Structure formats: structure tokens, C-alpha cells
Amino acid sequence: MTLGSAVLMGGTFVLIASGVTVASGRDGWMTVLPGFAVGIPYGLMVLSVLLQYPNKNLLQISEILFGKWIGKIIGMIYILITGYYGGLLVAMLGNMYRTIMPLTPLWVFYLGELLLVLYLLGSGIEVFARFSEVVFPVIVIALALNIVLAIPQIEQGELLPILSEGITPLFFGVLKVMPFPMIYILFLAGISSFLPTSKQDLGQLKTGVWRAVFLVGILNMMVVLIQILVFGPRETIRLGNGILVLGKSIEISRTVSGIESLFMGVWLGAMVIKITACSFMVSWGIETVFNLKGLKWNLIVGAVFLGIAFGFTRGPYMLKEVSLVEGYLMFPLTSVWIPILWGVSRWKKGAGNQ
Amino acid sequence: MNMIKDLTIRPKVKQIRKSPQYSFEEDLNKPLSRQMVKEILSTSTDVVFREFFLQGKERISCMLAAIDGMVDKNQLDQFILKPLMVDLAGHPEMAQLTIANVLDKTIQSILPGLELKKISKMGEALDAILSGDAVIFFGESIEALVFGARGWANRGVAEPITESIVKGPREGFSETLRINTSLLRRKIKHPSLRMISLKLGNLTNTDIVVTYIEKVARPDIVAEVFRRLGTIKMDSMLGNGYIEEMIEDNPYSPFPQIAFTERPDVLAGKLLEGKVGIIVDGTPIVLSVPATLTQFLNVNEDYYQRAMVAILGRFIRYLGFFLALLAPSIYIAVTTVHQEIIPTDLLMSISAGQQGVPFPALLEALIMTIVLEILQEAGLRLPKPIGSTIGIVGALVIGDAAVKASLVSPLMVIVIGLTAIASYAIPTFDLGLAVRIIRFPFMLLAGSLGFFGISVGLYMLTIHLLTLRSFGVPYLSPIAPLRIRALLQDTFVRAPWWALKRRPQLLDVEEPQSGGKGKG
Amino acid sequence: MKRKRRKTVLVLILIACSLFLTGCWGTREVEELEPLIGLGFDLGQKPGTYLITEQFAKPTKGETSTSAEIHRTFSIEASSLREAYEKTSKIISHVPFMGSLKVIVIGEDVAKVGFLDVADFLQRYSEFRRSMYLVLAKGKAQSILNVKMRTGTIVAMYIKDNIETGKTISTYPTVRLGHYLTVLGRKSTAPIMPVIEMVKSGDEGIEYETDGKEEAQELRIQGAGVFRGDQLIDFLNDEETKGYMWLENQVLQRPMSTVGTRKGEPNFTGQVLNSKTRYKVSDKDGTIGLQYQIKASIEIDEVQGLKEQLSETEWVDLMKGAEKSFAKVIQKECELSIQKERRLGLDFLGIGRHIEERNSAYWKTVKDQWEQKIADFPVSVNVEVTIHHSGMSNSSATVN
């Protein structure tokens, strides 16, 4: 289920450390895994709906269950949200890269990203899946290296005291993390028309969801953990791009240092995967709702992303917007739509059987 | 696990590629005419026509047609002319010969000779004579006999030039088709080994043999090979390159999608994996399809060495591949954009070396790489004795002089030299060429965009490789789609023979026998 | 359809190629750079300005490229680092490269006033890294960085090398920018920094050959300075700093001697092979205190004052005595350090942090008055020394 893990991972590790520590302080690392785990029930719900209506994506199923107009409205919201988010991600990556290569104009980064995204989009979902199969292990290795190599810089005892503030701050942290898996769920919703639906395959898919959530959750937890250990909670909050600074502070036997530029290539891959996932979602949405397909539309989607990205050239503002979108748009949409869908489909199934 | 429907092998529908063709007037399906044959061929002085008589019930005027130099004249003398002209004289059989029965009688009782068959068309007669057989015409009969007596000068079985190994057989394919098929037969002595001939090329009439192992190769791939070969309509078929281009899935990609080899043991190994081989008369290079990227980086020697040694060898080769592709680009990126990675001492060294060099690093690298390419090409074309001298002169002396003249910086020379050596570690010439081509865009990307550029380039390359298929098999198998067993066993490391219990997973073969079922 | 596809691909390729035509944005050639190795801060003459000393390495031209010993040092008076950068750039023909900065020397005067403002550039600008070393200068940073060392090395590189080999003697802490910032973030702990000072020939019993010049030509790192936030409050002398190293478990290798502690008996010197410091929060009838437990393993290198050959049992007893002596030395250093902390009211030993780690409930009640509480907070130190071996020989080379 590498594709799923890769989409779930996306660029989450960049901002997660700072966000979680703001909410929960020193114990922020504990909130990561539970936050991601929230994605599991949603994922299972998507899959069980799929079992009933094989080979359709959730937008089509919504149309069936809720009626044409509501279904189409949901589709429109889906397109708008994923599209907007995709554009924001493009901007985020450009922003990240600019901190180490400040003189390169933004549009160059955007062009590079979009070139990759469009190539993947045009080659089809299968190539995208294989691409993430190839790239995701590299991402995992790079993250693991980043973490391991930073171990010599750990300040002793930074983790203690554990739970000094009690459990309550943890809830805030979990709330902060929860939106991250939501985009993954939306992706599942769109890709469901391509998934095989025999009972056995479904079992494999379910394990896939579990595996993805745990793998990504644990990795992200380690990322937050190492940052708290090396920087201390106050610094972690202050440092916007914690993972970059972590990369910078790595010193391998006093010769090679500051290899964050190498890792940046890997983060590029991670973000590109996420952005491509968003663009796939948009194109599926467009396909389902408007019945339009083709290369032309893909290019238009790319252009729209570019436009959105340009609207956010101010770094801090953009980051705030990202978390807003995640928190207030994606999370509600997903957390409401999916369970209702599932509930209704169960009810209909029950009704159909009687 | 692939949650998406496993659409792995999917032979695409090919477009027919056109190439220029001449048209000739002869209709080669016309019935045989001895006079016509003589007319068509007599303008070439190397065609020999030997006329003689058989005095049977009727007087039969016979003619033996063959090409001097292509036919084994000794066999003609001993096994055609002698029996017909000398041994038959005075034999009771002779008295019963008529034009009607002479052909059958000759085949059945008069002439010894392994290959003796009847033909009745013009095309067949011309083809036989031009291929080096002898044709015997009896009177004005519309049937004639073909006597297989080929014997021309050839290189014999020599050591292959392009592929050399230390510890293994040294036989290589030759230019004659029959020798090659015989070499292959000696490796696989099983009735399932199939060899199917066809002819390609309107003017060249080249013999092609498609070979595969019946139950091991996937039937749809075999069928696809025949289909694609059938669509080739060309005048000339001088070598494997022509076929390669015509039947490749994606001729625009720099990466080779068809493997080739000069060694019968390598070909046998590939056939045993389920691949299909194409032997072309006139060239010692034999093609094999389908081909995947990892195959190009593996060498048969791996199988003749111990597992540990083979693993090291493979690792070095993969490292060489990446270095050859990326070393100059990484050096450019690090020295022009990301200087913070370099330890300060090294930074000063590089800086000191580059003081006074008039070119920026990117330009320097490009110039050196181009010079390197020229040297490599020159080394190939020069006759052997001069070739190695040029290598030494070019590389060492000129390089050293260039550094002293402050035209290039010493570190750049080292990097480019390392790249050149690394590219020789790539065992397949074709892949080495691909790497050489791709190196240039990477350098440009690195020079303008640093690691971002290299990353974008690498991802684009990956996506391109992912979309490539060779006869329907994804190019990057077994990395993607992920076939763990094949990956572990035979790609980056080679498991010892006692651990390779199943046949490679690559092609989903059905035979549940000795090798076991290889299902992904 | 294919034709159209081919066209779009071509157009895309052309667009991609145009990337290269517009020139190189972020690229700069290596020979354009002038790497900045050392930075020094002092107070400037005009109020509100700083005297910023920048030490660049100058690569030498030539084929045999070795690490350059030539350097250029500027001292610029400016109100911020960026302004200093601008002024320097106007002078040097190359681009100052920040990524190679290794050492930051903070002058005494600016330290007393507070240096965080001027140092903000260091932790914000992306070219710097958090692994740069911080040292405190006795006197002006400018004079330190301008010392003409006898080895000819650039002063900043010398300082860096000195710090890195410092772990073999573990007498002063190694403070990187990242570590300093993290400690600053703890609020309860006072950061400390090692002190670098000039050594003239004849100072404190050290003599070396000068070229007849009066200025110092060697530097030394010894002792530390204690800060409240970013303001220097006081210095720690050599022994107090050593105490700090013990208590904070930062001793890796350390030469030790018992000379002066044992009267009339043989003295020992040795090397600490490894040492571990643990701490425990103790609760004696409601009073919370901190207990340090130091375990060190020492090898003996020198025995002095041994007047006769000893038998085996006597040697063993002697060793045991040595263990006690060494423990006393360590104990004294630690206690000096703790006393200093109490006098200053600044918790550079990080005791508050340790309390927070182990007993956060109690910490919450005292953290607001911590500076006052330090003066009488119960701290005890328990030292255990084991002699690992005594070198190549078992006894002295005395004749009798």
C-alpha cells in the first residue's frame, strides 16, 4: 500500500513538529500517532462502502445514495477543496526551497514541480502508483537518516518530565494532527473506482490502511521526537522549518555538514506525490461531476494550481492558510461526509436485504 | 501488494513503421524455368552453370547451378557430379530414367546428401542458389532439386569481442546462422527449444531465427514477437540494429528495450528465464526480448562466481551506473549552488584550483565531457595498435597539460575521469550510451538549479522509465511493480543457487515444475 | 492524435529549455566566494553600534592547493550584522560566504550588555548553522581575532581546533549556538560559555619565544562565563568550570593530579578514562534536594614521592589511598562550583532543570522564585573513584 503511505506522508513531517509542540508542549510527540490513527476508522469506512458499490468512486456513490444534486454539490466541494489545497502545497514547496536557494525565482520551483505533476498525471494512476513505490522507500530512508544522524546532537533529558502538564494538552495536539490523514481519506475516496473489490483484496486493502497509518504515524512521531530532543520544546516551536534546521545541524565526523540540500531532493518527491494526488483528485472530481477528461483539462488544472500558488508568496501567511484549510475545510468535509455515506449505505443495505 | 488491478503485461498495438522499398518486376511465384534462371543469374560471373547428360531411357540434359565461393565445391564433385556422371554410368538404374521419374529416383536412390529436396518455384530456386545451395535442373522439368552444400569462409567460433568474462566459456556467436543455432542447441538439449525461421528484407533476404523454450516463454510475448517481425517491411536487413528499431516499444527513449548478446551461454540463460531470442544471419549479435533495466546491469559472470563475489560485483556496477550518470552533475551542483556542504578545507582547495580558470564550472564540465566523448568515439574507430596509445596520450598528457595551462581545474579532471571509468563498469554498451546522452541534461539542470534541478531530473527520468515497457513487460521490473522475491534474488544481490528455488518472478510463467511457480 | 501529442510534448520541452536560457539565478562560482571563518562582537564607539570583526580565509592561487593560511580580518563599526556585511562587501572583491562560519567570539563588553540582538542574524539567516561554536573573550574580541599566532593559522580555525581537541582534557564546556539557544529556552538554567584569553610569554609560568614583540602570540581557552539570558554576569575560574564539567556529566577524558592534597605522602597523577554522573532528587522529611553521584575510573600515570619499594599488599593499599585522594579533588572542584552558583544566584549547573525532570510537581511550586532558592537548596555530591590500572609498572623506580 505504498501509494497510500506516500500520499499520507506527503509533506506532513515539515510542519508537524512545530505545530504539535505549540499545542502540547514537550509531550507533543505522543500526540502524533493517535492523531494519525484517527484516519483508520475513516479509511475502513470508505472501504466498506466500496464493497457495496464496487468500481465506483465515492462521488458517484454519493450521487447514488443522496440523489443527483446533492451528489454533484459534494463533488463540487471536493474539487474546490482539493484544488485549493493542491495549489497551497505548490506554494509551500516553493517556500521551503527558497530558504536554501533564495535567489532562484519562485516560478522556477513551481514549474519544476508542476512539470513532474503533469507528467505523472498524464501517465495515469498506475505509473503514479509505481512512482510512489520507487520514491517512498527513499523518503523513508532519508527521514530515518536525518533522525539517526541528528542523535549526537541530542540534549540529555529534554523529554522529561513526561506528562507534567497532564493529559489535556495532548488533546489539542491530537486535534492538530487529525487533519493530516483527512486528505489521504479524500484520496481514497477518489481512487476507489480503481480498486479491486473481491473479498480477499479488500482484506489486503484494509491491512494496507493500517500499515500506512502506522508507518507514517511512527515516522512522524520520530521526527517530532528528535526535534524536541535536539532543540528543546521552545526552540521547536520557534523554528518553522524544523526538519530543515535538523538537516543543517548534522555533522558527520566533522567533514560533511549541512546536508539538508540533499534531503531537499527527497522532500521534493514527497510533496510532488501529495500534489499529484491532489491533482488526481481534482481530475476525478471533474470527470465524475462534469464528465470531462483529457490532457487539456489536466493542463488547466496545473495552471490553476500555479495561479493559487502565486497568490501566496508571503511565507507565514501561506502556512497559516494551509492549516486553516486543513482544519476548517478538509476535516469537516471528510469527517461528515464519509460517516454519513457509510451510515446510509449500511442502512440501504439493511433495507435491501429485508 | 498492488492494490490497483495488476495490469503488468500488456503488449501494445504497434504502428507499422514504414521505410523506403524498391519494387522489382520479377514475380517470384512463377513456376520454375531453367532458362529464366540462367538468364537472370548469368550476368554475374561468380555463378557457375555446369551442364551434363544423363543417358537413361531418354537423354536428360541436366544443369547444376551454384555460386562459387558460397558452395562447398568438394561436396558438389563428390556427391552430385560423381554419382550422377560416374557411378550411374553402366548402372542398371540408369536405363530406366526418364524426365518424369528422374527427380524422385535421384532423391531416393542415386544421390547421397543430407539435404535434398524438390522445388517448383522461381523464387525458391533463386533463393537456394543465392543462399549457397546447389540447384540441379533436369531437362525442362518445372521441378528441380536443391542440394544443401553450403560452405563459405567464415570467422568460425571465436571469443566474443564485446563481452568478456574471466571465468566461463569463451565461445561467441559467429556471422553464420547455422553455427549460431548449433551453439545454442549445445547449451539446451531439450526438445522444447524451438527455432522458427523467417526471412526479412526485400533485397537482402536475411534469414532470421526466432528461438524460445516452448513451455517457459509466455505465449503472448512469443506471438507478439512474431507479429512485430511480420510488420517489418524493409529493403535491407543488415544487422540487428534494424530490427531493434523497428520493433522497440519506444524508439524515442535513450534506453535500450531490447537486450543483445554475443555469447551462447548468455542467450541460453535468457531463454531459460522465459525470454525470446532473435538470431540474425550475418551478425554475431543476438537479440533477446523482453528486456528490463536491471538486466543490463547484470553480467553472466555473476552466475559463474561465488555468491559473495557476485554480490560485490553487482554492487560496484550499480554504483558505477549512478556515478556515471550523476557525478559531474553533483559536483557542479555542490560547487556552484550548495557550497555549504563542502568542508571548509576542501572548499579552499577547490577555490584555489579554480582561480584563474576562465570558465565557470558548468562550462568547464561540459567542455571536458564533450572532449571525453570525442576521445571515446575516437578510441573505438581507430585501428587497434593506435587506439590504446591515443587513450593514454589523450587522457594523461593532454589532461595534465590543460591543468597546467589553467584551462581546467584539477578537481574537475578527477571528477570527469571518474565518470568515464564508472561508465565502463556498465556492462552493456547500449546502456552506457544512454547514460552518456542523459548526462548532459543533468549537468545543465545542476548548473542552473542545483540539487533541485538534479532532483527534478531524476524524478522525470524515473517516471519515464516507469512508463517504458519492453514488449509489454514494465521496464523497471522487479523494482516497480515490486516483486520482492525477484528483487532479492537476482537484482541487486544474487542469491546462491541453492537459495534460488523458484524461477524468477518477472514473467509470471505458468510451469509449476523444477523451478516452481513464480507468481507475484 | 499522435501528432498533436508530439506537438504538446515539444512545446513543453521548449518551455523547459527556456529555463536554462534565462541565466543562473542562485548559482555562484566557487572562486567568487570568500569564506567567513570567524566572527567577533564588541561594543562600538558610538552608542548603539557594535564593533564587528570578520575573519575571512583567503584561498591561495596555484596548483598545489592546500588549505590557506592567509586570512583577512576586518573590524567594522555597524549597528547590525547586515550593515557590517554591506560595508565589508564594498571592500572585498568577492562574495562573503557565511556558510563556513565556524567560531563566534563574544567580547566581554558586549556580553555584559547583552548580545542577543546582534546575534539574531546568526540564528535566522539560512546560511548559518546551529553547530557554530561560541566563545567568550576576556577583553575585546577584536584583539583575540587579530592575534598573530606563531603557527600561522587563522585564529578562528585555531579556536575551532582547540575546542574540538578540548574533549581530551574536558576542562571547559563546548557550547554550540544550538545548544546555547536550547538552554536559553529553558529559562531556569543560566547558559555558560568557555572563555578565551591571550597568553603572553611569561604569564602564569608559560614562556615561549616571541619575535621580540610585546603582544601575545598564543591563545588559551580556560574557565567560563555565566550569563543571565544573554548578559554576562560573572566568570568562573578554572576549578569552578571543572566542577561544572563533572556535575553536568561532560567529562570524557581528564588529566588529574592529587598534588597539594596529601601532605607528606606520595602524590599521584592520572587520567580519567570514563566518568558518569547521575543525579537523584532526594526527599528528606519534606525537603527536596538534589544528590549527585559521580563515578569515575582513573588510570594512574605518575607516582611521586615514593621513597621505597612496596610489596603487593602495600601497593594495593596505596592505590586505595589514591582513590580517596582523587575523589577528594573531584569533590572540591564540584563544591567550589556549587558555592559559586549559590553566590551568584544563577543556576548554570542546571539543577532546576533536573528537578523539573524528576519531580515536576515540586518544580511548579518553586520555579518562580528559583533564583533566590538556589542559595540554600540542598545539594550533595558523592564521588566514587576506581583506579583502573597504574600504567606499565607496578612500583616506582626507586632503588631502596
Side-chain angles (χ1 to χ4, degrees), chain B residues 292-346:
Chain B
T292 55
L293 183 63
T294 47
Q295 207 183 296
F296 289 108
L297 287 166
N298 295 338
V299 160
N300 229 49
E301 177 139 18
D302 291 341
Y303 296 103
Y304 301 134
Q305 299 268 22
R306 301 158 66 83
M308 278 286 141
V309 179
I311 290 173
L312 181 67
R314 284 223 175 145
F315 176 67
I316 300 274
R317 255 173 270 128
Y318 277 93
L319 188 65
F321 175 62
F322 279 110
L323 272 182
L325 187 63
L326 291 176
S329 320
I330 293 181
Y331 177 73
I332 296 176
V334 167
T335 53
T336 52
V337 183
H338 301 280
Q339 291 97 348
E340 45 305 338
I341 299 185
I342 313 177
T344 316
D345 287 341
L346 190 57

Side-chain angles (χ1 to χ4, degrees), chain C residues 24-37:
Chain C
C24 324
W25 304 279
T27 61
R28 32 181 199 206
E29 293 300 315
V30 169
E31 59 263 27
E32 283 174 26
L33 298 178
E34 187 133 343
L36 180 68
I37 311 284

Side-chain angles (χ1 to χ4, degrees), chain A residues 109-347:
Chain A
F109 290 120
Y110 295 160
L111 199 63
E113 300 169 46
L114 285 176
L115 212 58
L116 288 173
V117 168
L118 286 175
Y119 197 3
L120 279 173
L121 199 60
S123 308
I125 186 78
E126 198 195 326
V127 172
F128 182 43
R130 295 218 220 107
F131 180 74
S132 50
E133 260 181 43
V134 172
V135 174
F136 186 63
V138 179
I139 299 177
V140 170
I141 293 177
L143 266 181
L145 263 181
N146 210 351
I147 293 173
V148 165
L149 289 174
I151 289 183
Q153 313 270 348
I154 292 183
E155 308 274 348
Q156 293 294 341
E158 274 300 330
L159 263 195
L160 307 166
I162 301 195
L163 288 182
S164 61
E165 311 287 330
I167 302 273
T168 350
L170 292 183
F171 283 126
F172 293 116
V174 174
L175 275 178
K176 272 224 154 210
V177 178
M178 280 208 286
F180 287 123
M182 289 310 146
I183 187 102
Y184 164 66
I185 304 294
L186 288 178
F187 180 69
L188 267 186
I191 203 178
S192 35
S193 54
F194 294 95
L195 301 177
T197 46
S198 68
K199 268 269 185 264
Q200 183 199 20
D201 284 323
L202 215 61
Q204 270 185 333
L205 285 172
K206 284 195 183 154
T207 20
V209 171
W210 280 90
R211 264 198 243 150
V213 166
F214 270 102
L215 182 62
V216 176
I218 291 178
L219 266 177
N220 271 333
M221 181 176 83
M222 301 294 295
V223 167
V224 177
L225 195 60
I226 192 80
Q227 280 191 52
I228 294 185
L229 279 175
V230 172
F231 301 135
R234 191 141 295 114
E235 287 284 294
T236 315
I237 298 174
R238 272 191 334 118
L239 292 168
N241 267 328
I243 196 86
L244 260 185
V245 184
L246 201 66
K248 263 191 187 299
S249 58
I250 290 176
E251 234 181 42
I252 308 177
S253 76
R254 291 205 263 137
T255 38
V256 182
S257 47
I259 45 184
E260 78 280 2
S261 327
L262 288 175
F263 289 142
M264 284 301 283
V266 178
W267 311 155
L268 171 68
M271 292 293 281
V272 161
I273 290 181
K274 201 147 198 193
I275 300 175
T276 317
C278 284
S279 52
F280 266 112
M281 287 194 263
V282 173
S283 71
W284 290 325
I286 296 182
E287 236 180 87
T288 323
V289 173
F290 300 118
N291 264 335
L292 298 161
K293 337 178 169 197
L295 177 69
K296 195 168 44 140
W297 288 106
N298 290 342
L299 281 176
I300 293 185
V301 169
V304 168
F305 278 13
L306 201 66
I308 299 176
F310 272 118
F312 290 99
T313 42
R314 294 187 198 73
Y317 180 49
M318 181 264 307
L319 288 177
K320 189 153 157 272
E321 188 80 6
V322 169
S323 59
L324 263 178
V325 169
E326 284 178 354
Y328 294 113
L329 288 180
M330 270 201 304
F331 186 41
L333 169 69
T334 329
S335 55
V336 163
W337 178 35
I338 306 287
I340 294 184
L341 204 61
W342 180 68
V344 172
S345 79
R346 288 228 131 199
W347 171 66

Side-chain angles (χ1 to χ4, degrees), chain B residues 103-115:
Chain B
L103 270 135
D104 295 316
K105 280 225 186 264
T106 315
I107 294 180
Q108 285 157 17
S109 40
I110 304 181
L111 283 187
L114 191 58
E115 293 170 43

Side-chain angles (χ1 to χ4, degrees), chain A residues 26 99 155 164 234 248 254, chain C residues 126 164 179 185 353 364:
Chain A
R26 199 179 299 263
T99 51
E155 308 274 348
S164 61
R234 191 141 295 114
K248 263 191 187 299
R254 291 205 263 137
Chain C
S126 63
E164 282 171 358
H179 174 80
R353 177 84 192 109
K364 285 191 190 125

